[in-house]
Amino acid sequence: MPDATDADGLTVGQVSTRLGVTVRALHHWDEIGLARPSLRTAAGYRLYTAGDLERLHRIVVYREIGLGLDRIRAVLDDSTTDVPGALRAQRAQVAERIDRLQQLSAGLDRMIDAHEHGLLLTIEQQAAVFGPRWNPDWPAQARQRYGDTTQWRQYAERSASRGPEEWQTVADAAAGLDRALADAMAAGVTPGSPEANQLVERHREVFASYFPLTRQMQVCLGRRYEADPAFAAHYDGIRAGLATWLRRIIDACARAHGIDPDTATWQ
């Protein structure tokens, strides 16, 4: 390698700044013989000539479109390489990557909307899925009340992946549970019985469509079913006294698992 003065070329640092690549990358390309500086100063410092810089520009361009270093070497140095073919193959890979990123972007948009709004259905879709008694203001009210909780985040994550068909499955499961509860109460099923405990477990499974429900949380929810006018109206509208009966079977099942319903907390 011929010697030169600094005026004959650019140093590694200067090239790094000019091309926007790291000094480490330039040293690596030098070590593997991809882009070696043509000159050295008397003190042994590398210097890049105008020709070296042109090659580096090409390397940077090919690297930015995703070609690996071996493929770049072939494109630059192997006269038998089908350069248009290599670029078309890379373009196909880029197109696939763009498609994946667009899908990821759409998924992120849905996740953001789910965290901010809870339910990603139009008002018409909500009515079709949940029935005419559904209030489209409920998701916004729930967001305002519970938006800073772990359970809202868990609910949003589930909601982001659901469309009308998935929500219809959830709604059907909840409606089926309501009917089973009313039938059991009418049949005289007593709290603490195997039949009642099975319904409590079914309630936890159905509720898991929204967020994981511990037994202690279920006890707290049972209290709310009885005390909250909206919840009580829903269950008592199915069968008179159902809200209280549901709370009682939840409490009895909790006791069977060593939980005191009187001291249970939301955890």
Side-chain angles (χ1 to χ4, degrees), residues 9 14 26 32 54 70 105 109 115 118 122 128 131 141 163 179 195 204 213 218-219 233 235 254:
Q14 289 170 328
L26 292 171
I32 65 175
E54 180 182 353
D70 289 340
S105 177
D109 286 342
H115 276 276
T122 66
Q141 294 170 3
R179 290 192 297 270
E195 295 86 349
R204 291 180 66 228
L213 189 69
Q218 188 179 32
V219 169
Y235 286 106

Side-chain angles (χ1 to χ4, degrees), residues 119-256:
L119 198 58
L120 304 186
L121 299 178
T122 66
I123 293 177
E124 293 75 16
Q125 289 172 331
Q126 293 178 41
V129 170
F130 300 112
R133 297 178 62 185
W134 174 261
N135 184 344
D137 293 333
W138 284 342
Q141 294 170 3
R143 170 70 176 84
Q144 185 175 12
R145 186 171 184 178
Y146 307 112
D148 59 348
T149 66
T150 298
Q151 287 70 42
W152 178 267
R153 291 192 289 272
Q154 293 168 330
Y155 164 68
E157 290 166 1
R158 288 161 171 74
S159 179
S161 63
R162 288 179 181 154
E165 292 183 359
E166 291 79 12
W167 275 117
Q168 187 65 63
T169 299
V170 173
D172 290 345
L177 173 62
D178 286 349
R179 290 192 297 270
L181 291 168
D183 291 344
M185 180 184 173
V189 172
T190 58
S193 66
E195 295 86 349
N197 289 340
Q198 287 177 1
L199 286 170
V200 174
E201 294 303 320
R202 182 175 171 184
H203 173 266
R204 291 180 66 228
E205 292 174 3
V206 169
F207 212 90
S209 299
Y210 303 98
F211 55 80
L213 189 69
T214 67
R215 295 188 188 281
Q216 291 210 57
M217 292 163 64
Q218 188 179 32
V219 169
C220 296
L221 203 57
R223 294 180 197 150
R224 184 168 297 171
Y225 289 157
E226 185 178 37
D228 185 281
F231 281 120
H234 167 75
Y235 286 106
D236 292 343
I238 298 171
R239 183 173 182 82
L242 184 59
T244 296
W245 184 83
L246 176 54
R247 191 268 304 162
R248 291 178 60 211
I249 68 169
I250 290 174
D251 286 356
C253 187
R255 289 191 188 93

